[in-house]
Amino acid sequence: MENPAGIETAFYRVAIDTPLRRCFDYLPPASGPLPTMGMRVEVPFGRRRLVGIIESLESQSDVDPSKLKRISGIIDPEPTFDAPLLELLRWATDYYHHPIGEVLATALPKLAREGATLTAITEYWTVDEQGVAAHQGGEPRRAPKQRVLLEQLVAAGPEGLASSTLHEWQAGWREAARALLARGWIRCEQRAASPAASAPAARPPATPELTAAQSTVLTTVLTAGDRGYRGWLLHGVTGSGKTEVYLRLAERQLELGRRVLVLVPEIGLTPQLVGRFAQRFPQAVLAILHSGLTDSERLAAWRLAHSGRAQLVIGTRSAVFAPVPELGLIIVDEEHDASFKQQEGGFRYSARDLALVRARMLDIPVMLGSATPSFESLHNVSAGRLTRLALPERAAAAARPTLRLLDLRGERVHAGLSTTAASSIQRHLAADGQVLVYINRRGYAPTLACTACGWIAPCLSCDARLTVYRQAARLRCHHCGADRELPRQCPVCGYAVKTVGQGTERVEENLAELFPSVGIARLDRDVVRHSDELEAVMRRVSSGAARILVGTQMVAKGHDFPALTLVVVLNADQGLFSTDFRAAERLAQTIIQVAGRAGRAERAGEVLIQTEYPEHPLLSGLLTGGYDAFANAALEERRSAGWPPFARLAALRASATRPEMAIEFLDAARRLAERIAGRGAMVRLLGPAPAAMARRADRHHAQLLLESVDRPALHRLLERWLPEIETLQEARRVRWALDVDPLELF
Ligand code: ADP
Ligand code: ZN
Ligand code: ZN
């Protein structure tokens, strides 16, 4: 769609970050160049001026042209989104039934949404002739800081110096610069930042010789072609060398002058992983996009990707929308990870699924990798949509760990740890091994209870108990962030209180008592607020300073501790009796992932799983048949129960200050859906029902579930339904969101 000829009759359809399900028409700017598709523009909107994106160029508008306003400015001379990326975003708008303006806004870093330009602009300082003369005359005599600055600028010559450089060189330089500027000796100008100096050419790193399985995988992928859509599922046990496969495939793309996008889970984006890419491609520019960046760091990384200077773009969920010109390959590592699904806010997309869509649109290969593939991906393999590649053995000379269930009945258990597990830990420590203790709960204990009256410390805003933090002497809510002093007595009857159950903090304390001379590290979301703390813990474990690591889910991912020989899973039972149909899948994935940490090097690993239900078919099946057999059996169950991936789900979620408001809204929405779908509809409606934890942060949550084996039928209904939901009277009193392909049902 090019600019139509007659300029005045052309309309620009602009997407604006509003909850409205539409774009807005504008006339071309009064003067200057005309914008093209995908460009960011400034437009008058009500009484404000907003940043919008040219979604399309139209020759006709539904609005009387005399009522239309003009685009008031163009932000960049080039498009923010190229045509393929815009197409992906439109696809996501349709599929997730979300307003286009908000979808496009999600794809931008905050500062770009607010109008920051694509090209990084930097302030440069140069000296002019008068300044040079003054400097030669020994000026300024009584202002040493100004004299130093002037000298530096004279030495820098006509190129000048960037503010950031001066900042590093000299404290208080800006005041001096202002004074020199006022005297007319120096100048300040805005210039596009020069590309970052590329890293010095390093020695090409040693690349390991591929194992037979790796070679087969690589040959298969490369023979299928460097271009053209192919969806691969790389199913490789932990330590099988999946990353090595990614590196080789990336290498091939870089040789072809194309770029690679790597998506990793929230806590998988470790300096270790980035380091492996950086080491392998010392010449390449990397752009790293994750949620821990400041707004300006994020903008900088995004610009690096947009400009095409970054050959490798590595990022978490939202990086699936990163602008990457000449993208040749997308890799999704740990594709089963729940963090690829946005589960909050309005626009709840799956980055894993969108990666497949993006690859198909660009007609390029995409590789999903995991040791425990999601059932969706396994199902896609059966349906012929993905091709499975297997790495069944570990790459380095490492045996697979042996898994054993430890029956807790008839065991003495202290702070969650059985006597048998404790003596195993002792044995492995004595043999110079390291030990990982996994527990899926942070804090000291999940409950504080009265020893006399039965009082249990509740969160006042949620249907939840408060978690005890003993070191900090606080009670905290993991759902709303409430944070209170730890009481010494029961607030009701005044008797003593006690903690019930255990979290990582208590397990760590217990282990410290059992093994007083052994270094212990703990890893959970409370410890790791910043990635550098994560690194510090990792260093303590890698160096051997810590020989026992206690942690939550976080320890299950991507870290390689060669001396780790024993893994103890403290509480596998939580996931056994959940009402969520995905609980079994998640439990199996966690166990296999955590177990994968054991015995990474030549020493064989041992994994102990404590349970009170050793006969439970899920656990015994997983142990005897492994993940594949487990997944096959569980998928059969899903098929007969009509759950995903054999059916499609969408959840309409609502929350309100009073429980009945949320239910009334969902009831009204249900009636609408029944009317639209008509009799004999292919879509089943389930609910509305309150969420399992209905009250969170003083809001009452409920949901209505839509289920169908016929995806197009479901989406046709959603498309007609949502605009009508918006007009419901009841919608005004609730916050609501649609979740297409929801991961968690609560
Ligand atoms: P995964 O990503 O599948 O968990 P990694 O790529 O991290 O596995 O590999 C596990 C370990 O095996 C790493 O230490 C890696 O350096 C090593 N490795 C990978 N491929 C090979 C190979 N072909 N030969 C020797 N060691 C390898
Ligand atoms: Zn009491
Ligand atoms: Zn709470």
Side-chain angles (χ1 to χ4, degrees):
M1 238 183 299
E2 285 305 326
N3 277 355
I7 288 161
E8 278 303 322
T9 56
F11 301 99
Y12 291 84
R13 200 145 281 172
V14 177
I16 296 171
D17 188 1
T18 72
L20 298 169
R21 288 171 193 279
R22 47 170 292 214
C23 289
F24 299 85
D25 288 356
Y26 284 89
L27 295 170
S31 60
L34 293 174
T36 58
M37 218 168 66
M39 274 191 183
R40 281 181 305 152
V41 288
E42 194 187 77
V43 290
F45 190 79
R47 267 188 258 155
R48 294 174 294 165
R49 270 176 201 280
L50 297 179
V51 173
I53 291 153
I54 309 277
E55 206 274 335
S56 63
L57 278 64
E58 305 288 334
S59 54
Q60 305 220 313
S61 174
D62 299 336
V63 183
D64 177 358
S66 66
K67 295 220 172 81
L68 288 179
K69 294 185 181 149
R70 284 185 183 283
I71 288 172
S72 47
I74 298 179
I75 296 173
D76 316 291
E78 52 186 320
T80 300
F81 296 125
D82 59 14
L85 190 47
L86 207 51
E87 196 189 342
L88 175 74
L89 292 163
R90 281 193 201 111
W91 190 95
T93 301
D94 291 341
Y95 186 84
Y96 294 104
H97 301 273
H98 198 74
I100 185 159
E102 290 187 0
V103 171
L104 266 57
T106 306
L108 289 172
K110 181 162 169 282
L111 295 178
R113 234 178 286 156
E114 292 167 358
T117 53
L118 293 178
T119 32
I121 298 292
T122 306
E123 222 177 33
Y124 274 85
W125 299 84
T126 47
V127 64
D128 61 17
E129 276 168 37
Q130 288 177 27
V132 176
H135 173 252
Q136 279 161 355
E139 297 264 7
R141 290 179 211 288
R142 274 187 300 275
K145 279 197 175 163
Q146 291 177 36
R147 198 164 56 238
V148 172
L149 178 62
L150 191 61
E151 202 163 280
Q152 283 169 348
L153 291 174
V154 169
E159 212 5 56
L161 290 170
S163 291
S164 53
T165 311
L166 289 169
H167 214 73
E168 280 169 29
W169 284 2
Q170 190 184 339
W173 67 273
R174 200 170 269 283
E175 211 169 57
R178 254 186 244 119
L180 293 175
L181 196 64
R183 299 172 90 155
W185 291 350
I186 65 171
R187 270 192 306 248
C188 178
E189 57 194 76
Q190 311 283 322
R191 275 189 234 153
S194 55
S198 55
R203 219 159 11 99
T207 52
E209 201 167 315
L210 295 179
T211 62
Q214 283 171 328
S215 289
T216 309
V217 163
L218 214 63
T219 312
T220 310
V221 176
L222 293 179
T223 326
D226 307 311
R227 289 154 200 259
Y229 173 76
R230 284 301 290 266
W232 304 103
L233 175 66
L234 181 60
H235 184 177
V237 301
T238 23
S240 59
K242 293 185 289 297
T243 313
E244 185 60 39
V245 172
Y246 304 154
L247 291 168
R248 300 289 176 113
L249 291 175
E251 186 178 21
R252 174 82 188 126
Q253 291 296 331
L254 299 193
E255 279 166 14
L256 293 168
R258 303 180 9 134
R259 301 187 176 77
V260 180
L261 173 62
V262 185
L263 300 179
V264 294
E266 207 72 70
I267 50 181
L269 187 46
T270 58
Q272 269 182 348
L273 177 109
V274 173
R276 280 176 81 174
F277 276 89
Q279 266 165 24
R280 184 62 62 88
F281 308 110
Q283 247 63 288
V285 176
L286 272 69
I288 313 295
L289 289 158
H290 62 84
S291 52
L293 299 176
T294 64
D295 287 339
S296 48
E297 284 169 340
R298 199 172 171 76
L299 180 67
W302 187 86
R303 279 170 171 157
L304 214 54
H306 180 271
S307 66
R309 273 168 48 213
Q311 287 110 323
L312 287 163
V313 179
I314 307 182
T316 50
R317 186 174 56 230
S318 67
V320 74
F321 301 120
V324 190
E326 309 222 30
L327 182 57
L329 169 71
I330 307 177
I331 293 165
V332 184
D333 190 26
E334 309 282 4
E335 63 88 27
H336 65 279
D337 195 272
S339 73
F340 286 122
K341 178 77 204 278
Q342 171 61 268
Q343 308 199 58
E344 280 157 27
F347 178 36
R348 303 186 179 197
Y349 62 94
S350 158
R352 192 246 342 261
D353 296 349
L354 286 175
L356 294 174
V357 174
R358 189 169 183 182
R360 190 150 27 79
M361 285 176 167
L362 290 171
D363 203 25
I364 59 169
V366 53
M367 177 170 276
L368 311 181
S370 175
T372 53
S374 64
F375 286 9
E376 277 75 12
S377 294
L378 292 175
H379 180 61
N380 281 334
V381 170
S382 312
R385 286 186 288 266
L386 291 175
T387 307
R388 182 172 177 272
L389 303 163
L391 293 176
E393 299 298 331
R394 291 186 163 187
R400 283 225 224 175
T402 53
L403 274 69
R404 195 151 63 84
L405 293 180
L406 209 161
D407 190 349
L408 282 181
R409 298 165 305 181
E411 277 271 346
R412 279 197 42 196
V413 178
H414 182 66
L417 188 73
S418 67
T419 322
T420 308
S423 55
S424 290
I425 294 177
Q426 173 84 65
R427 191 156 39 78
H428 280 260
L429 291 175
D432 267 346
Q434 277 178 313
V435 177
L436 169 63
V437 179
Y438 167 83
I439 175 168
N440 193 17
R441 204 174 248 154
R442 59 203 166 90
Y444 185 83
T447 309
L448 184 73
C450 172
T451 51
C453 77
W455 172 84
I456 284 173
C459 177
L460 301 177
S461 302
C462 307
D463 293 332
R465 293 168 180 178
L466 292 173
T467 299
V468 180
Y469 283 80
R470 192 147 124 181
Q471 274 164 25
R474 308 294 295 177
L475 280 174
R476 290 180 185 142
C477 176
H478 286 172
H479 307 280
C480 71
D483 188 341
R484 292 199 265 137
E485 205 176 315
L486 184 65
R488 287 168 191 285
Q489 286 118 22
C490 173
V492 177
C493 72
Y495 269 73
V497 287
K498 61 166 186 198
T499 62
V500 182
Q502 54 277 323
T504 46
E505 197 183 315
R506 176 146 190 238
V507 171
E508 181 189 17
E509 180 192 86
N510 180 39
L511 289 165
E513 281 164 16
L514 287 173
F515 307 104
S517 60
V518 175
I520 301 180
R522 176 159 65 90
L523 193 58
D524 56 34
R525 252 193 303 146
D526 294 316
V527 179
V528 181
R529 295 280 173 214
H530 308 284
S531 61
D532 42 341
E533 284 174 50
L534 173 73
E535 267 309 275
V537 174
M538 290 301 147
R539 264 199 308 277
R540 281 190 64 211
V541 183
S542 319
S543 70
R547 297 183 54 215
I548 303 179
L549 175 62
V550 178
T552 55
Q553 216 78 346
M554 261 185 186
V555 300
K557 312 268 154 124
H559 312 293
D560 209 352
F561 302 126
L564 199 90
T565 52
L566 173 66
V567 169
V568 181
V569 176
L570 285 194
N571 58 346
D573 295 346
Q574 269 182 354
L576 291 178
F577 304 101
S578 170
T579 49
D580 189 333
F581 70 93
R582 275 187 228 271
E585 177 183 354
R586 260 185 245 119
L587 176 64
Q589 286 167 345
T590 303
I591 290 179
I592 298 294
Q593 295 280 348
V594 177
R597 300 300 121 206
R600 299 272 284 187
E602 38 306 311
R603 288 192 257 185
E606 189 184 347
V607 181
L608 289 178
I609 302 159
Q610 297 193 149
T611 176
E612 294 193 31
Y613 308 91
E615 289 95 25
H616 195 287
L618 200 162
L619 286 177
S620 51
L622 184 62
L623 260 70
T624 48
Y627 188 76
D628 289 352
F630 161 80
N632 285 339
L635 270 166
E636 256 335 292
E637 270 176 40
R638 294 246 193 119
R639 185 200 299 278
S640 47
W643 285 118
F646 302 96
R648 297 298 185 126
L649 293 180
L652 182 64
R653 302 214 156 106
S655 73
T657 49
R658 290 214 315 272
E660 66 276 12
M661 290 176 179
I663 296 289
E664 279 163 19
F665 163 73
L666 293 173
D667 270 331
R670 179 180 172 127
R671 285 192 297 275
L672 269 181
E674 282 165 349
R675 211 193 61 221
I676 295 169
R679 280 188 176 281
M682 289 296 293
V683 180
R684 261 207 308 162
L685 300 168
L686 308 161
M693 186 186 294
R695 193 171 51 110
R696 295 198 295 276
D698 285 320
R699 295 188 69 83
H700 297 265
H701 296 251
Q703 73 177 7
L704 173 66
L705 209 56
L706 291 80
E707 192 231 304
S708 179
V709 289
D710 182 353
R711 194 182 70 76
L714 176 61
H715 279 254
R716 276 195 306 275
L717 169 61
L718 294 178
E719 193 168 326
R720 291 182 53 199
W721 191 38
L722 285 172
E724 296 205 31
I725 290 175
E726 276 166 354
T727 65
L728 285 174
Q729 187 79 24
E730 291 88 345
R732 292 187 204 159
R733 302 188 302 178
V734 302
R735 283 188 209 142
W736 63 270
L738 180 75
D739 195 344
V740 175
D741 305 329
L743 263 195
E744 314 221 350
L745 302 180
F746 38 85

